[in-house]
Amino acid sequence: MKKKTIDNLKVKGKRVLVRCDFNVPLIDGAITDENRIIAALPTIKKLVADGGRVILCSHLGKPEKKLSLAPVAVSLSGHLGQPVKFLADNQVVSDCVRKAVGEMKDGEVALLENTRLRKEESKNEEAFSKDLASIADIYVNDAFGTAHRAHCSTVGVTSFVAESAVGYLMEKELKFLGAAIENPVRPFVAILGGAKVSDKILVIKELLNKVDKLIIGGGMAYTFFVAQGHTVGDSLLEVDRVKDAKEVMELAKAKGVELLLPVDTVVTQEFSADAAYKTVPSSGIEDGWGGLDIGEKTREIFTSALKDAKTIIWNGPMGVFEFPNFAKGTLALAQEMAENTGTTIIGGGDSAAAVNQLGYGDKMTHISTGGGASLEFLEGKALPGVEAVQNA
Ligand code: AMP
């Protein structure tokens, strides 16, 4: 599909509304991870260099938290090396904001307040979409992380603006994820982990049509253990998903996909960072014990399975990586991926956090900025935020 990109736009003297994903983690009002801000810079710099009047917008946190984007304006000013005027207004777009935008000069940058302060935002209601459009000649969507949501600032606004395009970050995300799915260099291996089968079942089924090997670890592996006929003690288990796990095992066989499940697991008697632990075979989890990581043998099997891979996609940690004692499986796979000379893609969310936390972020070909969006893309679903720009 041909995308409208910012390279095709003439922005000089125009008001360009850019939807970014500045949904950054905050502790006591301080930003603890600026990756999403840094990822937005290429688009902003290009529009500034071309003489656009750049008006940025984003959501931040859950609507009920009513968080302010003020700290993001400060961080952005530093990264851009020019002032970013923060248009603090709980209405997000008001007459005052319209006036301030009207006074902007070419190459200046402003940031609107958190779009979720407007109750219409998440419902994609016209009033707020029109308000956003009233301060823009051109709309650019660069927020991959929210492209799977049809909100005013991602979809609705495109109906009321003359011209729309996707930004560089959105293009990059679609390029890497799209190439991996549509035309992967083989062998193509997917690693899926994280807490729940239910969150990932659609992507697992879709990937079974594409991959040569599928590795499953993390909390969701225990539902597969039960499907194999084992008991799992106090480990995470989704009883109602055992039939899905069985289906995945049968589908993998039918499609000739090598499915790798943990053969051993690290278990504890309590869920805590300093709990005593031991490794047991997948068939040997006793009552009162729960699995928090893949075991040593599994680490070897999984890392060997990656050696000849030319494309690897990873979504979801292999264990409770937040506790160092149970981050070893996740660490082993991150290390193996870092050494791989093929294309290595991290599908956002907790896997991105894990890889960055473990210090391998810059060794990957691509780390997606959108956990939910990348999962929906890999499930084969159209992303409303991208569709809206194509069809505008
Ligand atoms: P997700 O967002 O679905 O990718 O899940 C990530 C979360 O799964 C992380 O917070 C991990 O701590 C958690 N997780 C991974 N493995 C396990 C496990 N064996 N038991 C409990 N939680 C796990």
Side-chain angles (χ1 to χ4, degrees):
M1 204 187 326
K2 180 108 181 65
K3 282 185 288 295
K4 296 176 197 168
T5 75
I6 53 173
D7 288 325
N8 320 126
L9 297 175
K10 291 199 170 42
V11 300
K12 180 144 183 58
K14 301 262 178 67
R15 300 166 302 164
V16 190
L17 177 69
V18 188
R19 175 48 156 110
C20 298
D21 178 9
F22 293 144
N23 186 28
V24 290
L26 292 167
I27 295 181
D28 296 332
I31 301 169
T32 56
D33 179 346
E34 294 191 307
N35 278 323
R36 285 182 163 166
I37 294 175
I38 292 162
L41 296 175
T43 292
I44 302 170
K45 285 183 176 168
K46 159 80 175 159
L47 296 170
V48 166
D50 287 356
R53 302 172 183 191
V54 184
I55 306 137
L56 308 171
C57 69
S58 173
H59 79 282
L60 178 63
K62 299 229 154 48
E64 60 276 14
K65 291 237 163 107
K66 299 193 188 320
L67 296 170
S68 171
L69 277 169
V72 171
V74 176
S75 158
L76 260 176
S77 302
H79 285 292
L80 284 172
Q82 74 177 83
V84 172
K85 187 163 191 197
F86 183 53
L87 304 177
D89 193 313
N90 289 350
Q91 278 296 103
V92 188
V93 180
S94 64
D95 287 342
C96 283
V97 168
R98 282 191 192 91
K99 184 164 175 287
V101 168
E103 288 163 2
M104 284 174 76
K105 300 195 175 62
D106 296 0
E108 285 188 349
V109 182
L111 174 64
L112 302 181
E113 185 51 287
N114 179 2
T115 52
R116 286 197 179 158
L117 295 189
R118 285 286 291 262
K119 61 178 184 351
E120 301 102 316
E121 165 73 333
S122 312
K123 298 184 207 140
N124 195 17
E125 285 175 0
E126 222 170 84
F128 185 43
S129 300
K130 283 184 171 167
D131 275 351
L132 287 169
S134 73
I135 53 166
D137 304 303
I138 299 173
Y139 168 78
V140 172
N141 192 346
D142 209 22
F144 179 75
T146 36
H148 59 313
R149 308 255 185 249
H151 291 174
C152 296
S153 65
T154 58
V155 170
V157 61
T158 60
S159 302
F160 306 104
V161 172
E163 216 176 344
S164 298
V166 294
Y168 287 144
L169 175 62
M170 186 77 97
E171 258 195 296
K172 184 172 161 231
E173 294 271 12
L174 297 173
K175 181 178 131 204
F176 279 110
L177 294 171
I181 283 301
E182 281 151 30
N183 202 12
V185 183
R186 294 184 181 278
F188 177 19
V189 184
I191 309 165
L192 289 174
K196 290 185 181 165
V197 178
S198 46
D199 288 345
K200 311 261 163 96
I201 187 65
L202 293 176
V203 81
I204 293 175
K205 286 186 179 164
E206 184 61 26
L207 285 171
L208 281 174
N209 297 319
K210 319 263 183 185
V211 298
D212 301 296
K213 294 178 197 174
L214 177 64
I215 293 177
I216 289 185
M220 71 158 122
Y222 303 98
T223 301
F224 283 82
F225 287 12
V226 170
Q228 289 174 312
H230 309 319
T231 52
V232 293
D234 293 347
S235 310
L236 270 187
L237 171 65
E238 286 171 281
V239 178
D240 56 339
R241 292 290 175 173
V242 173
K243 66 172 184 345
D244 282 310
K246 281 189 181 146
E247 194 189 336
V248 166
M249 285 153 62
E250 280 155 18
L251 275 174
K253 205 181 276 172
K255 290 176 190 285
V257 173
E258 192 183 340
L259 175 66
L260 291 108
L261 291 164
V263 296
D264 59 358
T265 184
V266 177
V267 292
T268 66
Q269 286 180 299
E270 55 176 307
F271 186 89
S272 76
D274 48 11
Y277 57 91
K278 62 180 182 181
T279 301
V280 298
S282 302
S283 56
I285 308 177
E286 300 157 70
D287 279 350
W289 293 78
L292 296 190
D293 195 6
I294 56 174
E296 295 80 10
K297 278 206 191 93
T298 305
R299 287 200 312 248
E300 266 178 51
I301 294 170
F302 284 5
T303 51
S304 309
L306 295 178
K307 294 248 182 261
D308 67 341
K310 295 274 192 319
T311 307
I312 308 172
I313 284 191
W314 184 10
N315 189 305
M318 293 293 99
V320 183
F321 73 97
E322 296 92 337
F323 301 158
N325 282 344
F326 310 109
K328 291 173 197 151
T330 303
L331 179 62
L333 290 201
Q335 270 166 341
E336 191 62 42
M337 276 180 81
E339 281 168 22
N340 188 285
T341 53
T343 302
T344 48
I345 298 173
I346 309 294
D350 273 313
S351 354
V355 165
N356 284 325
Q357 183 187 310
L358 298 168
Y360 291 102
D362 59 349
K363 298 282 194 306
M364 304 298 162
T365 312
H366 180 65
I367 300 188
S368 177
T369 52
S374 64
L375 270 183
E376 291 205 12
F377 186 83
L378 296 175
E379 282 166 17
K381 289 188 189 149
L383 300 176
V386 179
E387 295 268 289
V389 168
Q390 314 290 7
N391 302 332

